[in-house]
Amino acid sequence: MLLKKSHSENAKAIGFMVFGMLGFAGMDALGKWIMGTDHSAFQLIAIKSWIVIVTMAIWIFVTGRLSQLKTNRPGSHVVRILLSFSGPILMLIALAQMPLADVTVIVFSSVFITTALSFPVFKEKVGLHRWLAVVFGFVGVIIALKPGMEVFQPAGILALLAGAAFATINLTTRWLKNTETEISLIFYTILGMAMLSSLMLPFVWKPMSFFDFSVYSLMGVFTLIGYIGVTKAFMRAPLGVVAPFEYTLMLFAVVSGYFIWGDLPDVSIWTGAAIIVASGLYLIYRETREIDGFKADIN
């Protein structure tokens, strides 16, 4: 019975992760388009975050969920907010200079950083085979970065740093899941991002058309979808189960990048992505064997 329950929870968590990645893919595509119109990343994050906060606040009040905003660890939320603020800023700056799929592949270092840190932070089992998958995953990221080539850009480093920030955000979700509600994690994170980015608006504000505002609003919808999906995923299953499914974002990024901008990844990106996906699939394979009770000879 417990095994069936574990299977069911893991399957739901994986579904939430893919759903969240679809939301973030829409957000990234719209973000790249907005950045191409010379709007500031701070303005973009501020407006879409306030749209999400107002929407959530109305929903929370109408459904009588105010009690779920209670927090026992406000200081921990501050750490999560700072990480959640830095990740999108770095990624948006990178997106303004690089194709969507290229940035997405590099940001996927977060999958392997998350898995690697799950042992020292949460004492979750990460055996030899998973460590090898993590190492090969980082090899894929390095190939995607194209070190030593003329096409290597500082924006690639920003994307890598964004990946590290996203990884630590994932870890904070697991860190806070036993004392905080899903609603409080999402609400305070986005509220903090809205407040921090708003501090920069007097210096970066650019007038918007109604169409621009509509795009910002749609980004807010996609952002909410992403946060709900990822938060629910990491609160329902171990990191090793759900983290590899973040790479579904790569597929969404390649498809949207091609149809919107006509971009197709070059050989380095395809190679790096293939290694990253293969490493992620192997992580899933190892997790599945353990869940089914078929322990490997070397863990």
Side-chain angles (χ1 to χ4, degrees):
M1 183 64 71
L2 289 176
L3 185 59
K4 288 184 178 179
K5 183 177 180 181
S6 176
H7 272 296
S8 177
E9 285 300 303
N10 287 343
K12 289 179 182 178
I14 290 169
F16 278 123
M17 177 58 74
V18 175
F19 180 69
M21 290 301 102
L22 184 59
F24 283 135
M27 181 190 73
D28 292 342
L30 290 174
K32 178 174 176 59
W33 184 85
I34 283 289
M35 292 297 289
T37 62
D38 294 326
H39 281 231
S40 165
F42 295 104
Q43 180 174 338
L44 190 158
I45 291 177
I47 294 176
K48 76 179 182 65
S49 295
W50 282 119
I51 291 172
V52 172
I53 283 300
V54 171
T55 303
M56 283 193 70
I58 295 172
W59 175 76
I60 290 170
F61 180 77
V62 170
T63 57
R65 300 172 186 265
L66 286 173
S67 61
Q68 295 188 34
L69 289 179
K70 181 180 179 181
T71 176
N72 299 309
R73 302 167 70 178
S76 300
H77 279 283
V78 172
V79 175
R80 179 179 167 85
I81 287 168
L82 292 174
L83 293 169
S84 299
F85 178 70
S86 61
I89 289 291
L90 292 169
M91 186 169 180
L92 284 170
I93 295 174
L95 281 171
Q97 305 173 51
M98 296 176 65
L100 177 60
D102 293 31
V103 173
T104 302
V105 170
I106 296 170
V107 166
F108 263 83
S109 59
S110 65
V111 173
F112 304 102
I113 294 173
T114 300
T115 302
L117 292 179
S118 63
F119 172 70
V121 176
F122 298 111
K123 305 304 179 184
E124 292 184 0
K125 188 175 184 180
V126 182
L128 176 60
H129 288 263
R130 288 189 189 173
W131 281 120
L132 290 174
V134 168
V135 170
F136 278 107
F138 279 118
V139 169
V141 173
I142 291 172
I143 291 174
L145 277 169
K146 299 183 278 285
M149 296 178 64
E150 186 178 351
V151 293
F152 177 73
Q153 304 178 50
I157 299 298
L158 296 180
L160 188 62
L161 292 174
F166 292 137
T168 49
I169 294 169
N170 295 339
L171 291 171
T172 62
T173 302
R174 296 288 289 179
W175 179 33
L176 296 169
K177 74 181 184 71
N178 292 326
T179 60
E180 309 299 302
T181 65
E182 296 172 359
I183 290 177
S184 69
L185 285 175
I186 298 172
F187 185 85
Y188 291 127
T189 296
I190 299 178
L191 177 62
M193 292 172 62
M195 295 174 67
L196 287 175
S197 53
S198 293
L199 295 175
M200 297 298 298
L201 289 183
F203 308 102
V204 301
W205 180 262
K206 179 179 179 180
M208 297 182 298
S209 65
F210 176 77
F211 178 76
D212 291 336
F213 184 77
S214 299
V215 174
Y216 277 88
S217 300
L218 187 56
M219 280 193 69
V221 173
F222 281 127
T223 299
L224 192 55
I225 290 173
Y227 271 100
I228 289 173
V230 172
T231 301
K232 282 183 174 292
F234 280 109
M235 292 186 78
R236 279 170 167 74
L239 293 171
V241 173
V242 294
F245 281 91
E246 288 183 292
Y247 71 76
T248 55
L249 183 58
M250 287 188 200
L251 174 62
F252 302 143
V254 170
V255 172
S256 59
Y258 175 72
F259 282 103
I260 298 174
W261 292 280
D263 292 332
L264 277 177
D266 60 19
V267 175
S268 296
I269 295 296
W270 280 119
T271 303
I275 294 173
I276 291 170
V277 171
S279 300
L281 287 174
Y282 190 69
L283 283 170
I284 299 167
Y285 166 71
R286 296 298 303 179
E287 185 65 30
T288 302
R289 287 192 62 178
E290 292 191 8
I291 290 175
D292 290 339
F294 297 106
K295 302 295 185 179
D297 294 332
I298 301 177
N299 286 312

